[in-house]
């Protein structure tokens, strides 16, 4: 492998300068560990399920006990291929597993099986929006590797223990070029990558459980200077901490440099309690790890047919789906982007449309009323008390004139709060049906006109407000059941 620092430097040539912070340009590159959603480990049959009793899910292979041999999990490779295809990367026809040697209590076997010189996924890019600015972050690579165990510190008894359940869990480490130029861009990248891996289903994306962990490499430089020395913030497992950590790190580095101190390459941890980053160890170089090809594993060969089969089974990606919503349903690009925030949300929209909802109305309800309620209750669309079929029915009832928009909101509220489970039943029970009988409506209008001479006179004198007041009176007299459009039309005719 060529000298990584020089490679990164060369890749940055000709890139536009980012926004400056106190005269410094910020440079960020990400390494993300996505835990692959296989049932068993990357080289053994042990379960990957989260939350088991410590040390009940690590087998002899995960611990590399003498006499055992690792066997590649095909599902993990397939997921790596899926990611590569989703991000426009090259899938290496032949890649190599290597041993990364280091000592750590949670790695009793003394080495981690990873990929070094030849990773399975090479190149590719992630594109996303920061506000209304389109950004593209290039990937260097994504490689397969096994996770280590976990140290558990039981402060209350003053002891630490090792849980090896996580040892051998399949990871895909996704590495970017140092292409990001601000905290906002870095967080947006991480969110987009998270969306993609969960969308294609290769990772459950659960950040609290550690299924999606980001390392942010941060450096600063004067515009036009060579890349500065980076510090790597490890294991950011929430977007909020990610933002706080990177912001803090940028300020800290600038202050150090301004105070005349050079930045030392280091691995740092973010402490959410203090909001600060703290050096954990000085950074190792690749040479420290004594990488060598793992003698227990043959090179990973991926035939073109396999890649093509995976390609043919790939789900439609969020970008393509959003474009389709714009072209076939006439949605705005903004609404389409909102609806493709997650597979579940897009599926909900698709289901509502398939059940007969007008796409624009379905989009308005989902990105408006429903999004607001999901947010307020902090729940996901999968937990929404109103399913897509009921939303569609509600929209159909608005469209066919059965209920007004105002009544629809009442119906929706009854469904959401669990008061009832069917649109028609609520309409019936609450007597929300709009008046469709125009002679009954005319009687009401005549009554209103007979007692509102002042408004009539004002309307004739050209005051729009007076007309609205009359509509309001009619709506009130009909107990909200009149069709406002019909009221408008009838009133206009009657007033001449
Ligand atoms: P490791 O951290 O494992 O040694 P690499 O040397 O391949 O791995 O670099 C990892 C990450 O550091 C990449 O995401 C890359 O974009 C980022 N990076 C490299 N140089 C810089 C820099 N000067 N400033 C910020 N990020 C950088
Ligand atoms: Mg690193």
């Amino acid at each position: 492998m060529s000298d990584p620092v020089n490679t990164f430097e060369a890749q940055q040539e000709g890139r536009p300068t980012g926004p400056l912070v106190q005269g410094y340009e910020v440079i960020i590159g990400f390494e993300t560990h996505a835990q692959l959603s296989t049932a068993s480990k990357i080289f053994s049959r042990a379960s990957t399920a989260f939350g088991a009793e410590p040390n009940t899910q690590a087998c002899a292979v995960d611990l590399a006990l003498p006499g055992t041999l690792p066997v590649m999990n095909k599902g993990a490779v397939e997921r790596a291929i899926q990611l590569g295809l989703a991000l426009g990367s090259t899938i290496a026809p032949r890649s190599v597993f290597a041993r990364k040697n280091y000592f750590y209590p949670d790695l009793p076997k003394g080495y981690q099986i990873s990929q070094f010189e030849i990773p399975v996924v090479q190149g590719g890019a992630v594109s996303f929006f920061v506000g209304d600015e389109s950004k593209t972050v290039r990937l260097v690579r994504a490689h397969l590797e096994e996770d280590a165990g976990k140290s558990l510190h039981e402060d209350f008894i003053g002891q630490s223990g090792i849980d090896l359940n996580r040892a051998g869990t399949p990871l895909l480490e996704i590495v970017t070029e140092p292409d990001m130029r601000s905290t906002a861009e870095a967080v947006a990248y991480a969110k987009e990558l998270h969306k993609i891996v969960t969308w294609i289903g290769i990772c459950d994306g659960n950040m609290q459980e550690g299924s999606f962990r980001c390392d942010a490499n941060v450096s600063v430089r004067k515009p036009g200077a060579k890349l500065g020395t980076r510090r790597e913030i490890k294991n950011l497992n929430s977007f909020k901490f990610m933002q706080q950590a990177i912001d803090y790190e940028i300020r800290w580095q600038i202050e150090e440099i301004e105070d005349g101190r050079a930045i030392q390459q280091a691995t740092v941890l973010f402490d959410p309690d203090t909001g600060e980053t703290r050096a954990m160890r000085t950074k190792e170089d690749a040479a420290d790890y004594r990488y060598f090809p793992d003698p227990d594993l043959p090179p990973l060969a991926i035939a073109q047919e396999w890649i093509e089969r995976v390609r043919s089974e790939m789900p439609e990606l969020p970008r393509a789906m959003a474009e389709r919503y714009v072209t076939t349903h006439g949605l705005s690009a903004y609404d389409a982007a909102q609806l493709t925030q997650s597979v579940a949300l897009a599926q909900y929209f698709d289901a509502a449309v398939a059940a007969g909802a007008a796409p624009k109305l379905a989009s308005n309800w989902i990105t408006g009323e429903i999004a607001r309620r999901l947010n307020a209750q902090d729940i996901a669309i999968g937990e929404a008390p109103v399913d897509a079929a009921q939303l569609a029915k509600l929209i159909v009832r608005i469209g066919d004139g059965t209920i007004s928009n105002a009544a629809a909101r009442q119906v929706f509220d009854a469904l959401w709060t669990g008061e009832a489970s069917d649109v028609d039943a609520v309409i019936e029970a609450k007597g929300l049906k709009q008046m469709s009988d125009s002679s009954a409506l005319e009687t009401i209008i005549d009554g209103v006109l007979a007692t509102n001479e002042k408004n009539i006179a004002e309307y004739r004198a050209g005051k729009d407000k007076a007309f609205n007041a009359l509509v309001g009176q009619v709506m009130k007299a009909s107990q909200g059941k009149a069709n406002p459009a019909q009221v408008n039309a009838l009133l206009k005719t009657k007033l001449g």
Side-chain angles (χ1 to χ4, degrees), residues 31 173 215 217 230 232 234 283:
E31 293 159 280
E173 178 173 337
D215 302 342
N217 293 271
R230 72 188 152 109
E232 178 176 356
K234 274 284 186 203
K283 176 78 190 161

Side-chain angles (χ1 to χ4, degrees), residues 340-492:
T340 51
Q341 280 309 308
S342 72
V343 196
L345 200 63
Q347 281 172 347
Y348 188 96
F349 171 75
D350 283 342
V353 172
K360 272 200 172 149
L361 290 181
S363 165
N364 289 347
W365 276 88
I366 295 170
T367 59
E369 187 73 25
I370 294 181
R372 217 172 8 257
R373 287 178 188 250
L374 293 176
N375 243 326
Q377 288 172 243
D378 196 20
I379 55 174
I381 188 74
E383 301 161 83
V386 179
D387 66 19
Q390 287 300 320
L391 177 69
K393 201 164 176 184
L394 186 69
I395 291 170
V396 168
R397 291 288 172 264
I398 302 169
D400 68 13
T402 308
I403 50 172
S404 65
N405 280 317
R409 273 192 289 278
Q410 282 188 56
V411 176
F412 186 81
D413 189 67
L415 295 175
W416 191 278
T417 54
E419 201 180 309
S421 58
D422 179 68
V423 168
D424 289 336
V426 185
I427 296 174
E428 199 58 49
K430 292 192 183 276
L432 293 171
K433 228 180 215 148
Q434 286 190 126
M435 289 175 74
S436 48
D437 178 355
S438 64
S439 68
L441 187 54
E442 281 189 60
T443 314
I444 292 178
I445 291 178
D446 290 341
V448 168
L449 291 181
T451 54
N452 281 279
E453 272 154 37
K454 189 166 159 258
N455 280 333
I456 297 171
E458 283 180 7
Y459 168 71
R460 296 221 160 106
K463 282 197 183 166
D464 288 346
K465 250 190 172 168
F467 184 77
N468 294 339
L470 290 169
V471 174
Q473 298 260 1
V474 176
M475 291 305 294
K476 197 171 157 202
S478 74
Q479 289 164 317
K481 290 177 205 164
N483 178 329
Q486 211 181 352
V487 173
N488 260 284
L490 278 172
L491 262 177
K492 285 218 166 111

Side-chain angles (χ1 to χ4, degrees), residues 155-344:
D155 287 339
F156 59 98
I157 48 169
Q159 288 184 355
S160 292
I162 308 291
D163 175 10
L164 291 167
N165 282 352
R166 213 176 59 182
T169 296
L171 301 177
L172 195 57
E173 178 173 337
I174 303 154
V175 184
T176 75
E177 294 286 351
D179 278 358
M180 288 157 274
R181 293 290 179 272
S182 68
T183 307
E185 193 178 338
V187 175
Y189 160 79
K191 285 185 172 168
E192 184 67 23
L193 183 64
H194 183 267
K195 174 164 120 184
I196 291 168
V197 298
T198 51
W199 188 283
I200 61 178
I202 64 167
C203 169
D204 70 20
N206 190 324
M207 294 177 80
Q208 285 85 40
E209 291 179 3
S211 301
F212 187 87
R213 319 191 284 267
C214 294
D215 302 342
N217 293 271
V218 180
S219 68
V220 298
R221 66 172 174 188
K222 289 281 184 185
K226 282 204 178 308
L227 288 179
T229 303
R230 72 188 152 109
R231 302 213 310 165
E232 178 176 356
I233 316 169
K234 274 284 186 203
N235 286 338
L236 294 165
N237 65 353
S238 97
F239 295 123
K240 189 171 145 234
F241 293 162
M242 187 180 292
Q243 193 226 309
Q244 293 174 349
I246 299 173
D247 275 345
Y248 177 85
E249 182 63 26
I250 293 168
R251 284 199 308 273
W252 185 87
Q253 288 190 15
I254 291 175
E255 220 173 283
E256 286 289 295
I257 297 171
E258 288 290 306
D259 287 351
R261 284 185 292 273
I263 303 296
Q264 302 295 323
Q265 188 166 323
T267 300
V268 308
L269 281 181
F270 175 66
D271 181 348
D273 293 331
T274 60
E276 296 177 356
T277 52
R278 195 164 27 83
M280 183 163 85
R281 53 173 190 255
T282 55
K283 176 78 190 161
E284 304 79 2
D285 277 324
D288 298 327
Y289 290 120
R290 295 289 178 234
Y291 281 99
F292 65 87
D294 193 303
D296 289 344
L297 285 156
L300 174 61
I302 299 177
Q304 194 60 33
E305 297 83 75
W306 190 7
I307 298 173
E308 291 316 319
R309 204 206 73 224
V310 175
R311 196 194 305 275
S312 72
E313 291 166 1
M314 287 285 283
E316 188 181 16
L317 294 169
R319 288 207 135 204
M321 192 175 270
E323 276 163 31
R324 185 166 58 79
Y325 286 170
V326 171
T327 52
T328 65
H329 295 322
L331 302 187
S332 70
Y334 180 79
D335 286 345
Q338 297 287 101
L339 291 172
T340 51
Q341 280 309 308
S342 72
V343 196

